[in-house]
Amino acid sequence: EFRESRYQRCFPPQTKKLSSSSSASARSTTVFSSASTRPPSEMLRLVTPYIAWGYPSLKTVRELVYKRGHGKINGQRVPLIDNSIIERELGKFGIICMEDLIHEIYTCGPHFREVNRFFWPFKLSSPPRAA
């Protein structure tokens, strides 16, 4: 499941806290979330007016990771241009390439949490304005 933050300045305090705890506090950012990581129904009920959420297809996950994927290494945003970066950071979990990352995110595998922490929030382009 992924969430995209839409509005930042008009968040109520509780919603702002939930949004920042999921790393999607900036406008037009997306993060992955597993339904088993916290009670999703209560959280989604509070933030539904401010986010878009749903279950991504394998194609969507693959496109996000390949086109906009960045890793978090020592607090730095590092583009995922080489599998050696992934192997160095996540090799101890058996994740050595981009396809392993995609598989772990899409299937919510046993190391979903570690992989999700490794990803920097995906920055998306702003949606077009309606005329």
Side-chain angles (χ1 to χ4, degrees), residues 2 8 13 20 26 29 38 72 86 90 96 99 124-126:
F2 68 61
Q8 184 178 6
S20 65
T29 58
R38 63 186 92 157
K72 195 182 303 178
I86 298 164
L90 299 170
I96 58 171
E99 287 300 320
L124 304 177
S125 54
S126 296

Side-chain angles (χ1 to χ4, degrees), residues 91-124:
K92 59 187 166 227
F93 304 113
I95 298 165
I96 58 171
C97 64
M98 294 285 267
E99 287 300 320
D100 290 345
L101 284 174
I102 293 165
H103 179 266
E104 199 68 24
I105 290 292
Y106 183 70
T107 61
C108 290
H111 300 293
F112 174 85
R113 189 176 204 174
E114 291 83 4
V115 169
N116 202 27
R117 284 184 181 159
F118 170 72
F119 276 121
W120 197 271
F122 296 92
K123 293 184 177 184
L124 304 177

Side-chain angles (χ1 to χ4, degrees), residues 1-4 30-33 51-57 60 64:
E1 159 182 343
F2 68 61
R3 293 174 296 210
E4 175 190 345
T30 296
V31 294
F32 290 105
S33 174
I51 66 168
W53 63 276
Y55 299 94
S57 65
T60 304
L64 274 173

Side-chain angles (χ1 to χ4, degrees), residues 37-90:
T37 56
R38 63 186 92 157
S41 60
E42 178 66 19
M43 183 186 73
L44 287 175
R45 185 182 62 78
L46 290 169
V47 297
T48 294
Y50 308 101
I51 66 168
W53 63 276
Y55 299 94
S57 65
L58 180 59
K59 179 183 175 191
T60 304
V61 174
R62 185 172 279 124
E63 285 177 359
L64 274 173
V65 171
Y66 275 109
K67 292 180 181 177
R68 301 184 184 267
H70 287 77
K72 195 182 303 178
I73 300 173
N74 299 326
Q76 301 280 325
R77 184 175 186 248
V78 178
L80 300 178
I81 55 172
D82 189 8
N83 285 335
S84 65
I85 297 168
I86 298 164
E87 187 173 8
R88 189 173 353 117
E89 295 297 316
L90 299 170

Side-chain angles (χ1 to χ4, degrees), residues 10-28:
C10 54
F11 280 4
Q14 188 175 17
T15 306
K16 197 178 286 189
K17 183 178 179 184
L18 285 171
S19 177
S20 65
S21 71
S22 70
S23 301
S25 58
R27 187 176 191 158
S28 297

